[in-house]
Amino acid sequence: MTQETLTIKDNSTGKEAEFSLLKGTVGTPVIDVSALHKKMGLFTYDPGFVSTASCKSAITYIDGENGILLYRGYPIDQLAEKCSFLEVAYLLMNGELANDAEQAEFEHEIGQHAMLHEAMRSFIDGFHYDAHPMAMMVGIVGSLSAFYHSELNMDDPEHRRISAMRMLAKMPVIAAACHRHSIGFPFVYPRADLSYCENFMNMMFSLPSQKYIDKDNYIDPVAVKALNLLFILHADHEQNASTSTVRLASSTGANPYACIAAGIGALWGPAHGGANEAVLSMLEEIGTVDRIPEFINKAKDRNDPFRLMGFGHRVYKNFDPRATIIRKTCHDVLEHISGNDPLFDLALALEEYALKDEYFVEKKLYPNVDFYSGIIYKALNIPVDMFTVMFTIARTSGWVSHWLELMAEPGQRIGRPRQIYTGKGRRDL
Ligand code: ACO
């Protein structure tokens, strides 16, 4: 990081001070205002963190203007084409791609940590059958520290690594268990001989009478490829709302399972990970192509809270590179698995209409990754209320990477923003 300075002058008091300008490897320079209050008696105000860098991180880089997304320096399209999700997870967590032996060891360990403590089954059974799976995910992941007391010395790097591996390994198992519970089906145990994505599909869909993976171990390669791709695209996205939540919770020294549960809660919202579920609900509400203009007008109406779900992004202002990759896969999957889904035709017509509309063009509102991910999940027979859970499985790799990075940082401090107080001034009873 090179360093220059920037002078800030407060015209009301005449106070003036110099602040360092920090530069990362690439990207927008950042003014280090950490001493602003000490030097000038001022705080900064930035609701929504639109102009605020909350940390230094070497994991993911996004250039929103140019639609660039890099994991540890590698472009997302190259990783999506050449890697498995667990190869990407290793990269995010460790900084480099593994060699063959390292990757085999990593995957072996994931297999070892996949099993859930049997006592967790009665915990899961305690949920009502119609509980939203995200509500179950928050509760079950948060409870992991109650089941796994060992390896919780967060000053020990090996304990931290094991905790991270546990979460990555158990997340698809918990997710599938939530689904099976909601439909009253028996849990399916994870299998160490299957890949991460195959295993998840098997745990979701296998029946005693009809194995999802048949006797020759055949599993639909298009479905597994699509799932692998979606997991890679959702693996990390620098300081998004849920990752920032994980970091903030971690800065207090809370146990990692509680921190990841906090991230799951943040991901659930429709402005974030809940968007893929919201896209499907929106498409179903629109129903037919002829009703698109009516809904576009609703989205443009300032007095109407309706927004076009799956459109817009805080960072990407030209296009979301993940949406470009996923759009192609969406075609492949639909052709291969479910024929011609009318919802996909509707989605394409909506996309075309919005991209030509002056409001969307002017505000640079493009389809984001979740515009397409829900449609693919639907084609893979994943129930709609499980869409955000799918995102959770993938994003766990990013969350644990950020958690590992933060925990290894020397002199790390508790996150504690300030405020502008707008309540009553002091008054007496
Ligand atoms: N439909 C209609 N108008 C929109 C949309 C939309 N989807 N998104 C933004 N706008 C408009 C806003 O009304 C606002 O208009 P104004 O300037 O006239 O007030 C302007 O565009 C800027 O919007 P903001 O809300 O300020 O943008 P912000 O960066 O805060 O929000 C967000 C980004 C949350 C993604 C927003 O675009 C949105 O709500 N999109 C729909 C939900 C969605 O798809 N979320 C998934 C995000 S990707 C992910 O989490 C993987």
Side-chain angles (χ1 to χ4, degrees):
M1 285 204 178
T2 58
Q3 211 163 302
E4 291 163 24
T5 61
L6 183 124
T7 304
I8 297 180
K9 184 174 179 189
D10 179 348
N11 286 332
S12 63
T13 60
K15 269 190 186 173
E16 195 175 293
E18 276 201 347
F19 296 89
S20 303
L21 207 58
L22 307 177
K23 290 183 182 168
T25 326
V26 277
T28 309
V30 171
I31 310 163
D32 179 355
V33 292
S34 52
L36 184 70
H37 186 248
K38 200 167 154 196
K39 287 184 179 174
M40 302 191 65
L42 296 170
F43 291 134
T44 52
Y45 178 59
D46 183 17
F49 304 111
V50 178
S51 303
T52 297
S54 61
C55 63
K56 290 178 186 168
S57 178
I59 301 173
T60 292
Y61 173 71
I62 303 175
D63 175 346
E65 292 303 322
N66 296 306
I68 293 170
L69 169 59
L70 312 175
Y71 292 166
R72 299 284 189 184
Y74 293 109
I76 189 67
D77 53 324
Q78 294 181 22
L79 293 168
E81 192 190 325
K82 297 188 178 152
C83 293
S84 71
F85 171 66
L86 280 188
E87 285 168 340
V88 170
Y90 183 99
L91 170 72
L92 288 170
M93 287 167 73
N94 297 288
E96 296 295 339
L97 284 164
N99 62 31
D100 290 349
E102 288 165 338
Q103 190 63 33
E105 176 55 31
F106 182 74
E107 295 190 17
H108 173 72
E109 211 182 319
I110 289 289
Q112 298 295 305
H113 284 300
M115 292 290 288
L116 294 182
H117 194 295
E118 277 296 293
M120 290 194 80
R121 290 178 57 166
S122 41
F123 182 72
I124 295 170
D125 279 341
F127 285 96
H128 203 241
Y129 75 93
D130 61 355
H132 194 287
M134 281 299 278
M136 296 173 73
M137 293 294 289
V138 175
I140 297 165
V141 174
S143 79
L144 286 175
S145 67
F147 292 94
Y148 300 95
H149 306 280
S150 57
E151 291 96 16
L152 269 182
N153 172 10
M154 291 304 112
D155 293 330
D156 183 336
E158 182 56 10
H159 281 204
R160 299 200 294 258
R161 194 190 68 79
I162 291 171
S163 303
M165 292 296 279
R166 271 201 183 120
M167 279 184 276
L168 188 60
K170 293 186 195 307
M171 210 57 85
V173 187
I174 297 171
C178 291
H179 169 63
R180 305 286 291 199
H181 175 72
S182 71
I183 55 170
F185 281 18
F187 299 141
V188 176
Y189 287 107
R191 275 174 46 183
D193 60 321
L194 299 178
S195 75
Y196 197 80
C197 292
E198 288 171 340
N199 214 348
F200 175 71
M201 295 296 253
N202 189 52
M203 290 184 290
M204 281 286 286
F205 300 119
S206 208
L207 300 173
S209 56
Q210 190 192 343
K211 297 267 181 278
Y212 185 77
I213 298 185
D214 73 14
K215 59 180 173 11
D216 301 319
N217 261 355
Y218 174 77
I219 184 163
D220 187 339
V222 176
V224 172
K225 196 172 160 216
L227 194 59
N228 188 62
L229 175 73
L230 282 164
F231 281 176
I232 291 173
L233 299 184
H234 274 145
D236 194 42
H237 215 224
E238 52 120 298
Q239 307 311 320
N240 56 84
S242 56
T243 303
S244 299
T245 303
V246 171
R247 277 187 174 263
L248 194 58
S250 310
S251 77
T252 69
N255 78 69
Y257 306 109
C259 298
I260 299 298
I264 297 174
L267 186 75
W268 194 358
H272 191 11
N276 52 14
E277 186 175 335
V279 169
L280 254 277
S281 311
M282 176 190 74
L283 289 174
E284 271 156 15
E285 197 189 341
I286 298 174
T288 48
V289 172
D290 58 305
R291 295 190 69 203
I292 288 175
E294 180 194 329
F295 280 84
I296 292 276
N297 287 337
K298 268 165 76 65
K300 288 169 12 180
D301 182 354
R302 277 176 166 272
N303 300 317
D304 190 324
F306 176 79
R307 281 190 168 196
L308 222 48
M309 286 293 124
F311 275 76
H313 198 276
R314 168 61 61 79
V315 180
Y316 296 122
K317 296 300 177 197
N318 282 320
F319 66 95
D320 178 342
R322 301 166 302 169
T324 313
I325 299 167
I326 212 174
R327 195 173 184 272
K328 270 194 260 150
T329 303
C330 204
H331 279 282
D332 295 349
V333 169
L334 286 160
E335 263 172 40
H336 177 75
I337 296 176
S338 68
N340 221 1
D341 190 326
L343 272 193
F344 187 51
D345 293 338
L346 179 64
L348 288 186
L350 179 65
E351 179 200 33
E352 199 184 328
Y353 197 103
L355 287 176
K356 284 188 197 143
D357 189 283
E358 210 178 303
Y359 171 96
F360 287 86
V361 173
E362 195 193 302
K363 292 190 186 299
K364 298 188 170 182
L365 298 169
Y366 295 85
N368 58 51
V369 63
D370 285 322
F371 186 68
Y372 302 101
S373 66
I375 299 165
I376 299 180
Y377 284 139
K378 183 171 184 282
L380 298 181
N381 280 327
I382 308 284
V384 175
D385 62 3
M386 284 290 289
F387 288 3
T388 315
V389 175
M390 305 301 288
F391 197 159
T392 303
I393 299 172
R395 187 55 57 87
T396 298
S397 61
W399 290 331
V400 297
S401 303
H402 283 269
W403 174 74
L404 288 169
E405 184 180 64
L406 178 127
M407 295 307 287
E409 207 174 274
Q412 187 271 123
R413 301 175 76 186
I414 186 170
R416 199 339 186 148
R418 305 305 295 239
Q419 63 168 13
I420 300 178
Y421 175 67
T422 58
K424 302 260 188 260
R426 184 206 155 119
R427 52 183 172 165
D428 298 315
L429 284 170

mmCIF file of all heavy atoms in Angstrom, residues 8 10 13 15-20 31-45 413 416-420:
data_model
loop_
_atom_site.group_PDB
_atom_site.id
_atom_site.type_symbol
_atom_site.label_atom_id
_atom_site.label_comp_id
_atom_site.label_asym_id
_atom_site.label_seq_id
_atom_site.Cartn_x
_atom_site.Cartn_y
_atom_site.Cartn_z
ATOM 1 N N ILE A 8 -7.925 18.020 5.345
ATOM 2 C CA ILE A 8 -9.337 18.350 5.555
ATOM 3 C C ILE A 8 -9.386 19.619 6.404
ATOM 4 O O ILE A 8 -8.715 19.717 7.438
ATOM 5 C CB ILE A 8 -10.095 17.195 6.257
ATOM 6 C CG1 ILE A 8 -10.089 15.954 5.357
ATOM 7 C CG2 ILE A 8 -11.533 17.606 6.592
ATOM 8 C CD1 ILE A 8 -10.801 14.741 5.939
ATOM 9 N N ASP A 10 -11.959 22.381 8.369
ATOM 10 C CA ASP A 10 -13.304 22.682 8.868
ATOM 11 C C ASP A 10 -13.456 24.208 8.845
ATOM 12 O O ASP A 10 -12.869 24.912 9.656
ATOM 13 C CB ASP A 10 -13.440 22.130 10.295
ATOM 14 C CG ASP A 10 -14.809 22.418 10.895
ATOM 15 O OD1 ASP A 10 -15.561 23.224 10.302
ATOM 16 O OD2 ASP A 10 -15.120 21.861 11.965
ATOM 17 N N THR A 13 -14.554 26.137 12.105
ATOM 18 C CA THR A 13 -13.631 26.338 13.241
ATOM 19 C C THR A 13 -12.227 26.752 12.778
ATOM 20 O O THR A 13 -11.407 27.173 13.588
ATOM 21 C CB THR A 13 -13.473 25.023 14.037
ATOM 22 O OG1 THR A 13 -12.953 24.031 13.139
ATOM 23 C CG2 THR A 13 -14.785 24.552 14.628
ATOM 24 N N LYS A 15 -10.099 24.685 11.885
ATOM 25 C CA LYS A 15 -9.186 23.562 12.168
ATOM 26 C C LYS A 15 -8.818 22.837 10.883
ATOM 27 O O LYS A 15 -9.681 22.653 10.011
ATOM 28 C CB LYS A 15 -9.868 22.560 13.112
ATOM 29 C CG LYS A 15 -9.641 22.815 14.575
ATOM 30 C CD LYS A 15 -10.153 21.608 15.356
ATOM 31 C CE LYS A 15 -10.095 21.842 16.837
ATOM 32 N NZ LYS A 15 -10.724 20.765 17.572
ATOM 33 N N GLU A 16 -7.593 22.396 10.793
ATOM 34 C CA GLU A 16 -7.114 21.732 9.577
ATOM 35 C C GLU A 16 -6.227 20.556 9.984
ATOM 36 O O GLU A 16 -5.468 20.666 10.942
ATOM 37 C CB GLU A 16 -6.300 22.762 8.792
ATOM 38 C CG GLU A 16 -6.022 22.388 7.375
ATOM 39 C CD GLU A 16 -5.321 23.534 6.638
ATOM 40 O OE1 GLU A 16 -5.957 24.584 6.425
ATOM 41 O OE2 GLU A 16 -4.151 23.342 6.296
ATOM 42 N N ALA A 17 -6.339 19.459 9.303
ATOM 43 C CA ALA A 17 -5.459 18.328 9.633
ATOM 44 C C ALA A 17 -5.218 17.469 8.404
ATOM 45 O O ALA A 17 -6.012 17.483 7.452
ATOM 46 C CB ALA A 17 -6.086 17.490 10.748
ATOM 47 N N GLU A 18 -4.110 16.744 8.452
ATOM 48 C CA GLU A 18 -3.744 15.862 7.322
ATOM 49 C C GLU A 18 -4.148 14.428 7.619
ATOM 50 O O GLU A 18 -3.997 13.960 8.752
ATOM 51 C CB GLU A 18 -2.232 15.904 7.115
ATOM 52 C CG GLU A 18 -1.786 17.055 6.286
ATOM 53 C CD GLU A 18 -0.414 16.828 5.677
ATOM 54 O OE1 GLU A 18 0.289 15.886 6.093
ATOM 55 O OE2 GLU A 18 -0.059 17.586 4.764
ATOM 56 N N PHE A 19 -4.639 13.767 6.594
ATOM 57 C CA PHE A 19 -5.047 12.368 6.756
ATOM 58 C C PHE A 19 -4.398 11.542 5.651
ATOM 59 O O PHE A 19 -4.248 12.015 4.526
ATOM 60 C CB PHE A 19 -6.577 12.248 6.693
ATOM 61 C CG PHE A 19 -7.245 12.970 7.828
ATOM 62 C CD1 PHE A 19 -7.593 14.308 7.697
ATOM 63 C CD2 PHE A 19 -7.451 12.336 9.038
ATOM 64 C CE1 PHE A 19 -8.153 14.996 8.757
ATOM 65 C CE2 PHE A 19 -8.018 13.014 10.100
ATOM 66 C CZ PHE A 19 -8.376 14.350 9.967
ATOM 67 N N SER A 20 -4.046 10.316 6.009
ATOM 68 C CA SER A 20 -3.393 9.444 5.018
ATOM 69 C C SER A 20 -4.390 8.983 3.980
ATOM 70 O O SER A 20 -5.558 8.718 4.286
ATOM 71 C CB SER A 20 -2.822 8.205 5.696
ATOM 72 O OG SER A 20 -1.946 8.579 6.691
ATOM 73 N N ILE A 31 -9.574 7.401 2.267
ATOM 74 C CA ILE A 31 -9.034 8.350 3.258
ATOM 75 C C ILE A 31 -9.098 7.675 4.626
ATOM 76 O O ILE A 31 -10.171 7.211 5.034
ATOM 77 C CB ILE A 31 -9.881 9.641 3.324
ATOM 78 C CG1 ILE A 31 -10.124 10.223 1.934
ATOM 79 C CG2 ILE A 31 -9.238 10.678 4.242
ATOM 80 C CD1 ILE A 31 -11.257 11.233 1.898
ATOM 81 N N ASP A 32 -7.978 7.627 5.311
ATOM 82 C CA ASP A 32 -7.965 7.025 6.655
ATOM 83 C C ASP A 32 -8.454 8.074 7.653
ATOM 84 O O ASP A 32 -7.701 8.971 8.056
ATOM 85 C CB ASP A 32 -6.540 6.568 6.991
ATOM 86 C CG ASP A 32 -6.457 5.948 8.380
ATOM 87 O OD1 ASP A 32 -7.478 5.959 9.099
ATOM 88 O OD2 ASP A 32 -5.372 5.471 8.749
ATOM 89 N N VAL A 33 -9.736 7.972 8.036
ATOM 90 C CA VAL A 33 -10.323 8.974 8.937
ATOM 91 C C VAL A 33 -10.345 8.497 10.398
ATOM 92 O O VAL A 33 -11.042 9.078 11.213
ATOM 93 C CB VAL A 33 -11.756 9.368 8.500
ATOM 94 C CG1 VAL A 33 -11.745 10.128 7.191
ATOM 95 C CG2 VAL A 33 -12.664 8.142 8.422
ATOM 96 N N SER A 34 -9.569 7.433 10.684
ATOM 97 C CA SER A 34 -9.646 6.884 12.048
ATOM 98 C C SER A 34 -9.236 7.912 13.116
ATOM 99 O O SER A 34 -9.693 7.834 14.252
ATOM 100 C CB SER A 34 -8.828 5.594 12.173
ATOM 101 O OG SER A 34 -7.527 5.813 11.707
ATOM 102 N N ALA A 35 -8.401 8.905 12.727
ATOM 103 C CA ALA A 35 -7.983 9.913 13.721
ATOM 104 C C ALA A 35 -8.786 11.208 13.574
ATOM 105 O O ALA A 35 -8.438 12.229 14.172
ATOM 106 C CB ALA A 35 -6.492 10.199 13.563
ATOM 107 N N LEU A 36 -9.851 11.199 12.784
ATOM 108 C CA LEU A 36 -10.624 12.427 12.514
ATOM 109 C C LEU A 36 -11.174 13.043 13.801
ATOM 110 O O LEU A 36 -11.095 14.245 14.024
ATOM 111 C CB LEU A 36 -11.770 12.117 11.538
ATOM 112 C CG LEU A 36 -12.599 13.314 11.084
ATOM 113 C CD1 LEU A 36 -11.798 14.226 10.149
ATOM 114 C CD2 LEU A 36 -13.867 12.858 10.363
ATOM 115 N N HIS A 37 -11.734 12.188 14.648
ATOM 116 C CA HIS A 37 -12.333 12.707 15.873
ATOM 117 C C HIS A 37 -11.253 13.286 16.788
ATOM 118 O O HIS A 37 -11.414 14.373 17.354
ATOM 119 C CB HIS A 37 -13.131 11.608 16.585
ATOM 120 C CG HIS A 37 -13.883 12.114 17.768
ATOM 121 N ND1 HIS A 37 -13.565 11.759 19.054
ATOM 122 C CD2 HIS A 37 -14.918 12.985 17.859
ATOM 123 C CE1 HIS A 37 -14.383 12.384 19.891
ATOM 124 N NE2 HIS A 37 -15.213 13.127 19.193
ATOM 125 N N LYS A 38 -10.163 12.571 16.885
ATOM 126 C CA LYS A 38 -9.067 13.023 17.756
ATOM 127 C C LYS A 38 -8.483 14.349 17.253
ATOM 128 O O LYS A 38 -8.258 15.273 18.021
ATOM 129 C CB LYS A 38 -7.982 11.938 17.753
ATOM 130 C CG LYS A 38 -7.041 11.998 18.910
ATOM 131 C CD LYS A 38 -6.236 10.703 18.942
ATOM 132 C CE LYS A 38 -4.914 10.918 19.624
ATOM 133 N NZ LYS A 38 -3.993 9.841 19.339
ATOM 134 N N LYS A 39 -8.291 14.441 15.913
ATOM 135 C CA LYS A 39 -7.626 15.629 15.377
ATOM 136 C C LYS A 39 -8.573 16.814 15.213
ATOM 137 O O LYS A 39 -8.181 17.952 15.336
ATOM 138 C CB LYS A 39 -7.018 15.301 14.001
ATOM 139 C CG LYS A 39 -5.787 14.414 14.059
ATOM 140 C CD LYS A 39 -5.221 14.245 12.657
ATOM 141 C CE LYS A 39 -3.965 13.394 12.641
ATOM 142 N NZ LYS A 39 -3.507 13.114 11.282
ATOM 143 N N MET A 40 -9.862 16.531 14.874
ATOM 144 C CA MET A 40 -10.750 17.639 14.513
ATOM 145 C C MET A 40 -12.076 17.663 15.274
ATOM 146 O O MET A 40 -12.903 18.546 15.046
ATOM 147 C CB MET A 40 -11.044 17.587 13.007
ATOM 148 C CG MET A 40 -9.779 17.652 12.186
ATOM 149 S SD MET A 40 -10.066 17.903 10.442
ATOM 150 C CE MET A 40 -10.781 19.506 10.351
ATOM 151 N N GLY A 41 -12.304 16.668 16.128
ATOM 152 C CA GLY A 41 -13.564 16.638 16.881
ATOM 153 C C GLY A 41 -14.762 16.382 15.987
ATOM 154 O O GLY A 41 -15.851 16.903 16.248
ATOM 155 N N LEU A 42 -14.580 15.607 14.935
ATOM 156 C CA LEU A 42 -15.689 15.323 14.008
ATOM 157 C C LEU A 42 -15.845 13.821 13.812
ATOM 158 O O LEU A 42 -14.880 13.068 13.935
ATOM 159 C CB LEU A 42 -15.392 15.948 12.625
ATOM 160 C CG LEU A 42 -15.300 17.465 12.528
ATOM 161 C CD1 LEU A 42 -14.772 17.851 11.154
ATOM 162 C CD2 LEU A 42 -16.677 18.100 12.768
ATOM 163 N N PHE A 43 -17.060 13.398 13.491
ATOM 164 C CA PHE A 43 -17.284 12.034 13.008
ATOM 165 C C PHE A 43 -17.663 12.121 11.537
ATOM 166 O O PHE A 43 -18.013 13.194 11.045
ATOM 167 C CB PHE A 43 -18.450 11.365 13.761
ATOM 168 C CG PHE A 43 -18.158 11.059 15.210
ATOM 169 C CD1 PHE A 43 -19.084 11.384 16.187
ATOM 170 C CD2 PHE A 43 -16.984 10.439 15.583
ATOM 171 C CE1 PHE A 43 -18.830 11.102 17.523
ATOM 172 C CE2 PHE A 43 -16.725 10.158 16.925
ATOM 173 C CZ PHE A 43 -17.647 10.489 17.895
ATOM 174 N N THR A 44 -17.661 11.000 10.838
ATOM 175 C CA THR A 44 -18.166 10.963 9.455
ATOM 176 C C THR A 44 -19.589 10.386 9.493
ATOM 177 O O THR A 44 -19.933 9.651 10.414
ATOM 178 C CB THR A 44 -17.294 10.061 8.550
ATOM 179 O OG1 THR A 44 -17.159 8.784 9.168
ATOM 180 C CG2 THR A 44 -15.929 10.669 8.321
ATOM 181 N N TYR A 45 -20.390 10.732 8.501
ATOM 182 C CA TYR A 45 -21.771 10.232 8.414
ATOM 183 C C TYR A 45 -21.926 9.560 7.060
ATOM 184 O O TYR A 45 -21.754 10.212 6.025
ATOM 185 C CB TYR A 45 -22.749 11.402 8.551
ATOM 186 C CG TYR A 45 -24.213 11.015 8.417
ATOM 187 C CD1 TYR A 45 -24.785 10.082 9.291
ATOM 188 C CD2 TYR A 45 -25.021 11.580 7.432
ATOM 189 C CE1 TYR A 45 -26.120 9.736 9.177
ATOM 190 C CE2 TYR A 45 -26.361 11.236 7.318
ATOM 191 C CZ TYR A 45 -26.904 10.317 8.193
ATOM 192 O OH TYR A 45 -28.228 9.957 8.085
ATOM 193 N N ARG A 413 -9.806 -4.611 16.410
ATOM 194 C CA ARG A 413 -10.615 -3.939 17.445
ATOM 195 C C ARG A 413 -12.097 -4.232 17.256
ATOM 196 O O ARG A 413 -12.544 -4.525 16.146
ATOM 197 C CB ARG A 413 -10.415 -2.429 17.362
ATOM 198 C CG ARG A 413 -8.990 -2.006 17.546
ATOM 199 C CD ARG A 413 -8.838 -0.516 17.321
ATOM 200 N NE ARG A 413 -9.343 0.239 18.468
ATOM 201 C CZ ARG A 413 -9.432 1.574 18.487
ATOM 202 N NH1 ARG A 413 -9.058 2.276 17.438
ATOM 203 N NH2 ARG A 413 -9.889 2.196 19.557
ATOM 204 N N ARG A 416 -17.522 -0.659 16.173
ATOM 205 C CA ARG A 416 -18.432 0.141 17.002
ATOM 206 C C ARG A 416 -18.669 1.486 16.304
ATOM 207 O O ARG A 416 -17.944 2.455 16.534
ATOM 208 C CB ARG A 416 -17.764 0.333 18.355
ATOM 209 C CG ARG A 416 -18.562 0.725 19.604
ATOM 210 C CD ARG A 416 -19.847 1.359 19.342
ATOM 211 N NE ARG A 416 -20.512 1.848 20.549
ATOM 212 C CZ ARG A 416 -21.279 2.909 20.519
ATOM 213 N NH1 ARG A 416 -21.426 3.600 19.391
ATOM 214 N NH2 ARG A 416 -21.908 3.283 21.599
ATOM 215 N N PRO A 417 -19.700 1.562 15.408
ATOM 216 C CA PRO A 417 -19.946 2.831 14.707
ATOM 217 C C PRO A 417 -20.475 3.927 15.631
ATOM 218 O O PRO A 417 -20.897 3.635 16.750
ATOM 219 C CB PRO A 417 -21.008 2.473 13.666
ATOM 220 C CG PRO A 417 -21.362 1.063 13.857
ATOM 221 C CD PRO A 417 -20.653 0.525 15.044
ATOM 222 N N ARG A 418 -20.447 5.155 15.190
ATOM 223 C CA ARG A 418 -21.012 6.284 15.941
ATOM 224 C C ARG A 418 -22.346 6.677 15.301
ATOM 225 O O ARG A 418 -22.798 6.037 14.352
ATOM 226 C CB ARG A 418 -20.035 7.476 15.929
ATOM 227 C CG ARG A 418 -18.658 7.129 16.427
ATOM 228 C CD ARG A 418 -18.643 6.513 17.812
ATOM 229 N NE ARG A 418 -19.083 7.401 18.841
ATOM 230 C CZ ARG A 418 -18.354 7.771 19.894
ATOM 231 N NH1 ARG A 418 -17.123 7.302 20.053
ATOM 232 N NH2 ARG A 418 -18.840 8.588 20.809
ATOM 233 N N GLN A 419 -22.959 7.726 15.775
ATOM 234 C CA GLN A 419 -24.285 8.116 15.292
ATOM 235 C C GLN A 419 -24.427 9.631 15.324
ATOM 236 O O GLN A 419 -23.634 10.328 15.944
ATOM 237 C CB GLN A 419 -25.358 7.520 16.198
ATOM 238 C CG GLN A 419 -25.278 8.061 17.621
ATOM 239 C CD GLN A 419 -26.507 7.722 18.486
ATOM 240 O OE1 GLN A 419 -27.319 6.893 18.119
ATOM 241 N NE2 GLN A 419 -26.629 8.392 19.614
ATOM 242 N N ILE A 420 -25.477 10.110 14.634
ATOM 243 C CA ILE A 420 -25.901 11.499 14.841
ATOM 244 C C ILE A 420 -27.147 11.384 15.717
ATOM 245 O O ILE A 420 -28.149 10.779 15.299
ATOM 246 C CB ILE A 420 -26.285 12.185 13.509
ATOM 247 C CG1 ILE A 420 -25.101 12.191 12.550
ATOM 248 C CG2 ILE A 420 -26.791 13.601 13.760
ATOM 249 C CD1 ILE A 420 -25.421 12.804 11.191
#
